[in-house]
Amino acid sequence: MTWGPTLADEGTTFRLWAPDRDTVTLEIADGDAVPMTPEQEGWFSAKAPVGDGARYRFRLADDLTVPDSAARAQHGGVHGWSVVVDPDAYAWRTPDWRGRPWEEMVIQEVHVGTLGGFAGVADHLPAIAALGITAIELMPVNAFGGTRNWGYDGVLPYAPAESYGTPDELKTLVDRAHELGLAVVLDVVYNHFGPDGNYLGAYAKGLLPPRSRHPLGRRGRGRPGAGPPLFRRQRVDVAERVQVRRSPL
């Protein structure tokens, strides 16, 4: 099993790992609700005749709906609707990019929010490259509560923050950087979650490492590989999917 929606010609398959729940319903904005089928190891799945751009969420109870923790985009923030994204729809302009050797790396850390989102960073790239910088490191960009954040309180590790831009705008930023010879490094946080929009405790308490007694999971920080096998597998899955482009250095 993998996290997140999988697109196909006949529709999209949705999955949620919710071992603490007996029933889960998939809700589609402007569409019919679909009861999800329970499967092994706490997984639920459902298929719906929707595609790229469809908004969806999961209903756990009459008074509780949650976003997809593996959504690639959100509509309405971390408490809003998740959005189906076709990860293969973007046409890369620099398909031959293969990265830069580490000995050439002169890295400038960049906070996307202070420069006006992904499009704003792209506009600043020529000036950054002119300084002799050869790589930019984006501070964490995954979705967090509110519109301003350092990036270390993210709760949806697969989705870029809505206030920064769309997944395709992030890819456009990467494309522009590569056109200028700039590598792109992404700062990520896999060992804890922020407090606002973190719904994992409502349906998958086991995803947090055993040592993590705090609701944010912060006591697990600094321990790579901590937690049950599924926790480690989820982190690997995030790392693979969050790469907007594979560029071996």
Side-chain angles (χ1 to χ4, degrees):
M1 283 290 185
T2 58
W3 281 262
T6 302
L7 284 77
D9 292 338
E10 64 276 11
T12 301
T13 299
F14 298 85
R15 298 182 182 89
L16 181 70
W17 188 64
D20 299 336
R21 292 286 167 168
D22 295 324
T23 60
V24 179
T25 299
L26 169 68
E27 293 189 342
I28 305 292
D30 304 320
D32 295 329
V34 182
M36 301 188 75
T37 301
E39 299 180 350
Q40 294 181 348
E41 298 182 324
W43 287 94
F44 289 80
S45 69
K47 181 175 288 187
V50 299
D52 184 57
R55 290 176 292 154
Y56 68 100
R57 64 188 180 187
F58 301 116
R59 182 165 294 280
L60 305 183
D62 290 342
D63 59 348
L64 180 60
T65 59
V66 300
D68 185 356
S69 60
R72 292 181 183 269
Q74 285 292 114
H75 177 82
V78 296
H79 302 287
W81 293 87
S82 297
V83 181
V84 176
V85 174
D86 182 353
D88 299 320
Y90 182 84
W92 291 99
R93 301 194 304 264
T94 54
D96 295 329
W97 173 266
R98 291 297 180 268
R100 300 189 66 133
W102 275 114
E103 60 268 21
E104 295 180 5
M105 299 286 267
V106 180
I107 303 174
Q108 176 170 320
E109 187 176 46
V110 175
H111 186 285
V112 175
T114 63
L115 293 183
F118 300 133
V121 174
D123 290 341
H124 282 80
L125 291 180
I128 291 174
L131 295 174
I133 301 297
T134 61
I136 59 170
E137 178 183 354
L138 303 180
M139 295 178 68
V141 301
N142 61 299
F144 48 77
T147 59
R148 298 177 182 272
N149 198 284
W150 280 108
Y152 299 103
D153 287 319
V155 292
L156 298 174
Y158 297 77
E162 191 176 355
S163 59
Y164 290 173
T166 66
D168 278 1
E169 287 174 326
L170 173 56
K171 293 178 181 181
T172 300
L173 161 60
V174 173
D175 243 345
R176 182 60 180 138
H178 291 170
E179 289 172 342
L180 295 168
L182 294 167
V184 180
V185 179
L186 191 61
D187 186 359
V188 296
V189 179
Y190 294 156
N191 56 5
H192 70 274
F193 299 95
D196 187 27
N198 177 16
Y199 289 100
L200 288 173
Y203 59 86
K205 296 183 180 68
L207 191 61
L208 297 176
R211 285 183 61 224
S212 182
R213 302 181 186 279
H214 193 283
L216 306 189
R218 292 185 185 274
R219 296 202 179 183
R221 69 168 51 183
R223 293 187 61 210
L230 197 60
F231 175 85
R232 297 193 294 273
R233 197 174 95 202
Q234 195 260 358
R235 288 299 178 258
V236 171
D237 187 67
V238 172
E240 291 177 343
R241 291 188 180 220
V242 81
Q243 295 181 72
V244 290
R245 191 166 185 192
R246 295 187 179 186
S247 301
L249 297 174

